Amino acid sequence: MKLTFLGHAGFVVDIGDQQVAIDPFLTGNPVATQRAEELSPAYILLTHAHGDHYGDTESIAKRTSATVIASFEVVSYLGQRGISGHAMNIGGSFTFPFGKVTYTPAWHSNSLPDGSYAGMPSGLVLAAEGKRLYHAGDTALFGDMALIGKKALAVALLPIGDNYTMGPEDALEAVRLLRPQVVIPIHYNTFELIRQDAQAFKAAVETQTDSRVVVLKPGEHFTL
Ligand code: NI
Ligand code: MN
């Protein structure tokens, strides 16, 4: 599995010859190094529908016919706009050609681009090639992360930006619960309000837990 960081909370995941995008927010993302037109994933996974996650989903899906995997409410909205999706909900898993996706809880809110209610936000676990990747979505720290960490996680993508999600101190506690091999911090330094020192977070995690922190700049890759 090769992860490419799109900036903010977005990733492209290459699994063999299959490509999956997660929360592809590029247009209007001040730190993005790629344009939406450069992505051609077969699937788009969404944690929730806030603009900084939903991002370029519509334009990418219309151009590439990508299937959007998201919550029931978000997929219903996309269906009204002529975009095909696969609706899932928290606690559910489904095996796609690229791997198995499980939707997990997230403590946050959720709304659609038109401002309407979008149901519960989520995180997700993607299992492929014998490895498990956890994207926490936008969330507060919560104790049930210990359950998500019960099955070994190769990598956890955790927000550290604070203000809208957990900040570095709570993300450190999340690492203690999740016990991933590798942590990649996300959802910080995109905007002034979520400015954080990723190297300080890395130092704290690596001195206080057994996990390793990989700090990615937008456009950089990590292979697991
Ligand atoms: Ni959000
Ligand atoms: Mn967000």
Side-chain angles (χ1 to χ4, degrees):
M1 253 196 274
K2 180 180 148 198
L3 302 180
T4 303
F5 186 40
L6 300 176
H8 201 54
F11 285 85
V12 165
V13 188
D14 286 291
I15 306 161
D17 58 358
Q18 313 249 24
Q19 191 172 74
V20 177
I22 306 175
D23 289 359
F25 167 50
L26 295 163
T27 303
N29 178 346
V31 300
T33 60
Q34 281 176 279
R35 294 156 52 84
E37 300 79 61
E38 295 172 62
L39 301 193
S40 295
Y43 292 87
I44 299 170
L45 290 164
L46 294 179
T47 61
H48 64 300
H50 285 155
D52 57 321
H53 300 258
Y54 186 91
D56 296 287
T57 294
E58 283 183 32
S59 70
I60 296 169
K62 279 187 175 147
R63 177 173 50 80
T64 68
S65 302
T67 299
V68 183
I69 303 166
S71 70
F72 170 77
E73 288 81 1
V74 175
V75 168
S76 299
Y77 174 84
L78 285 164
Q80 290 161 13
R81 306 171 75 81
I83 294 164
S84 71
H86 180 113
M88 294 186 65
N89 217 323
I90 293 165
S93 299
F94 189 82
T95 301
F96 295 92
F98 61 85
K100 183 178 172 186
V101 174
T102 305
Y103 270 83
T104 60
W107 278 100
H108 189 62
S109 65
N110 195 11
S111 54
L112 287 156
D114 65 2
S116 62
Y117 173 66
M120 295 288 285
S122 61
L124 56 90
V125 173
L126 167 55
E129 297 176 332
K131 289 174 179 154
R132 292 159 53 80
L133 170 153
Y134 172 52
H135 190 306
D138 281 359
T139 188
L141 170 68
F142 56 94
D144 284 353
M145 284 179 174
L147 298 175
I148 298 167
K150 257 188 153 180
K151 288 189 203 159
L153 296 172
V155 60
L157 314 174
L158 301 181
I160 67 162
D162 222 337
N163 194 77
Y164 300 112
T165 66
M166 59 186 175
E169 268 182 47
D170 281 355
L172 170 61
E173 193 58 37
V175 174
R176 290 196 179 99
L177 297 173
L178 292 161
R179 302 158 58 96
Q181 286 173 26
V182 169
V183 178
I184 298 176
I186 62 173
H187 214 278
Y188 70 100
N189 289 3
T190 322
F191 311 106
E192 197 52 43
L193 204 53
I194 54 173
R195 189 150 298 282
Q196 296 296 341
D197 182 346
Q199 293 303 329
F201 173 70
K202 175 180 168 73
V205 170
E206 292 185 348
T207 53
Q208 296 179 55
T209 76
D210 294 328
S211 299
R212 182 163 70 92
V213 175
V214 174
V215 176
L216 292 181
K217 293 194 185 82
E220 288 187 340
H221 312 289
F222 175 72
T223 302
L224 63 152

